[in-house]
Amino acid sequence: MNFLEERIIKDGVVKPGNVLKVDSFLNHQMDIGLMDQMGEEFHARFAGKPVTKVLTIEASGIGIAYPVARCFGVPLVFAKKSKSVNLDGDLYTAEVESFTHKNKNTVVVSKRFLSADDHVLIIDDFLANGCALQGLISIVESAGATVEGIGIAVEKGFQIGGRIIRNLGYQLESLAIVESMDDTTGTICFREQG
Amino acid sequence: MNFLEERIIKDGVVKPGNVLKVDSFLNHQMDIGLMDQMGEEFHARFAGKPVTKVLTIEASGIGIAYPVARCFGVPLVFAKKSKSVNLDGDLYTAEVESFTHKNKNTVVVSKRFLSADDHVLIIDDFLANGCALQGLISIVESAGATVEGIGIAVEKGFQIGGRIIRNLGYQLESLAIVESMDDTTGTICFREQG
């Protein structure tokens, strides 16, 4: 097991409905040392990629993407989930359905921050059905930019998102892939990764 | 002028309605080098405070709070703007009205992440009317924890928030305090700070 899988076993909590709570260290309270370690791991897995921007989606994605952007020495851009009065009209937009929150959002990125010259590393905390990720990918493609790779903290391997993204041919790196969870025993099984 | 004021003069854009757009480097696209420099500055301004947690509010606050939490070597907790199905029922809550988005949110923090033993440094990107900050303060006090200080990137000095917070006796450190803006000329005037 890697450092994130070990931490999930130690502090993750399985809830009914295939909900994995990692809010004590990842997406409500954040262990900055762990985040920095994840940033270095993503930097290693995408080493040599000509990354010019790291793209994530608010809110918890920002904490995962921050150390990645530092390691690559590039700006972090986060997609916003609703149109703010502070955003220009000139936006890339995508419809995203949240598995967790059971709602739909329009995610937006200002056209000033993604261009055809950009090589984008997409980072997010969770991958389940992949809707959020597909929205980010479509925004990058709307910009004519290149998706250099996709880094995810926790992938739910028993849901469809990861297979879809890999079938689309993207380099998808998930630090932990949960194959199964049991909320009655609290057991969490991870996919073996080379 | 300090490094943030200089950056605001260089890349900030004044819009009608006293809107200061800093989204090219602070709250949509983030310049990680600048964020890290802000983190070190906040760490210096609150040096010697026995900080055990850094508290902010999603989304853009996370990028400001991350390097601060690293400098102090403590966890980052971010308040969420709506009740997620992944959050336990056991929450500290506060009603917050957004000046920017012209809406009301209930902000929540899980009771597992703030206790009476905590010494909290509150960090956010903007201070205008102070509603968001008052919500975070009330959440810290609900926990019986101590507010050790409040760090803000950009304060709108011509709005009431900063005066209210300082009158309440808190150490409020704003890296840039905008005294006035003119969207016709693009002029931005900062308050002199010792």
Side-chain angles (χ1 to χ4, degrees):
Chain A
M1 289 200 293
N2 66 29
F3 64 95
L4 181 59
E5 293 166 332
E6 286 168 358
R7 185 60 176 272
I8 291 167
I9 293 295
K10 178 172 171 286
D11 293 327
V13 178
V14 183
K15 296 281 188 179
N18 278 327
V19 171
L20 175 61
K21 285 171 64 71
V22 291
D23 62 349
S24 66
F25 56 98
L26 201 67
N27 55 11
H28 184 18
Q29 176 169 257
M30 292 181 163
D31 177 332
I32 301 299
L34 179 75
M35 299 284 150
D36 284 349
Q37 196 176 358
M38 290 168 57
E40 287 156 19
E41 178 63 24
F42 283 126
H43 185 242
R45 293 193 185 199
F46 295 103
K49 298 276 192 177
V51 174
T52 62
K53 295 270 171 89
V54 169
L55 176 67
T56 189
I57 183 165
E58 64 179 12
S60 41
I62 298 169
I64 318 283
Y66 188 104
V68 181
R70 176 196 285 105
C71 286
F72 279 96
V74 301
L76 163 60
V77 177
F78 64 92
K80 303 195 171 198
K81 279 178 185 166
S82 65
K83 198 167 181 319
S84 158
V85 297
N86 273 12
L87 282 167
D88 286 339
D90 215 10
L91 302 168
Y92 302 115
T93 66
E95 273 288 308
V96 166
E97 186 171 9
S98 166
F99 172 82
T100 311
H101 300 269
K102 311 262 189 297
N103 61 3
K104 270 195 176 186
N105 289 299
T106 302
V107 300
V108 302
V109 172
S110 170
K111 292 187 175 178
R112 290 173 294 129
F113 306 138
L114 281 180
S115 79
D117 302 330
D118 278 316
H119 294 257
V120 180
L121 176 57
I122 298 173
I123 298 288
D124 206 0
D125 55 345
F126 266 91
L127 171 56
N129 59 9
C131 286
L133 210 45
Q134 291 155 36
L136 292 177
I137 290 168
S138 80
I139 280 176
V140 174
E141 311 217 305
S142 308
T146 307
V147 176
E148 287 294 339
I150 297 160
I152 299 292
V154 183
E155 176 181 340
K156 291 178 171 177
F158 52 87
Q159 287 183 240
I160 193 71
R163 192 176 309 114
I164 293 171
I165 300 296
R166 291 183 178 93
N167 285 344
L168 288 168
Y170 296 104
Q171 181 184 347
L172 169 60
E173 299 284 344
S174 300
L175 300 189
I177 303 179
V178 177
E179 282 296 11
S180 64
M181 300 187 286
D182 184 332
D183 63 284
T184 59
T185 62
T187 313
I188 304 170
C189 298
F190 295 105
R191 182 180 303 172
E192 287 289 337
Q193 299 194 70
Chain B
M1 286 199 296
N2 67 29
F3 65 96
L4 181 59
E5 293 167 330
E6 286 168 358
R7 184 59 176 272
I8 292 168
I9 294 296
K10 177 172 172 286
D11 294 326
V13 178
V14 183
K15 296 281 188 181
N18 278 328
V19 171
L20 175 61
K21 284 172 65 71
V22 290
D23 62 349
S24 66
F25 57 99
L26 201 67
N27 55 12
H28 184 17
Q29 177 169 256
M30 293 181 164
D31 178 332
I32 301 298
L34 180 75
M35 299 286 152
D36 284 349
Q37 195 175 359
M38 290 169 55
E40 287 156 19
E41 178 64 23
F42 282 126
H43 185 243
R45 292 193 186 201
F46 295 102
K49 298 275 193 178
V51 175
T52 61
K53 296 269 170 88
V54 169
L55 176 67
T56 189
I57 183 167
E58 66 179 12
S60 40
I62 297 169
I64 319 283
Y66 188 104
V68 181
R70 177 197 284 103
C71 286
F72 278 96
V74 300
L76 163 60
V77 176
F78 65 92
K80 303 195 171 198
K81 278 179 184 165
S82 64
K83 197 168 182 319
S84 157
V85 298
N86 273 13
L87 282 167
D88 286 339
D90 214 10
L91 303 168
Y92 301 115
T93 67
E95 273 288 309
V96 166
E97 186 171 10
S98 167
F99 172 82
T100 311
H101 299 270
K102 312 263 190 298
N103 61 3
K104 269 195 176 187
N105 289 299
T106 301
V107 300
V108 302
V109 172
S110 169
K111 291 187 175 180
R112 290 172 294 130
F113 307 138
L114 280 180
S115 78
D117 302 330
D118 278 315
H119 294 257
V120 180
L121 177 57
I122 297 173
I123 298 288
D124 205 0
D125 56 345
F126 265 92
L127 171 56
N129 60 9
C131 286
L133 210 45
Q134 290 155 34
L136 292 177
I137 290 168
S138 79
I139 281 175
V140 174
E141 312 219 304
S142 308
T146 307
V147 176
E148 287 293 340
I150 298 160
I152 299 292
V154 182
E155 176 182 340
K156 291 179 170 177
F158 52 87
Q159 287 183 240
I160 194 70
R163 192 176 310 113
I164 293 171
I165 300 297
R166 292 184 178 93
N167 285 344
L168 288 168
Y170 295 105
Q171 181 185 348
L172 168 61
E173 300 283 344
S174 299
L175 300 189
I177 303 178
V178 177
E179 283 294 11
S180 64
M181 300 186 286
D182 184 333
D183 64 283
T184 59
T185 62
T187 313
I188 304 170
C189 298
F190 296 105
R191 182 180 304 172
E192 288 289 337
Q193 299 193 72

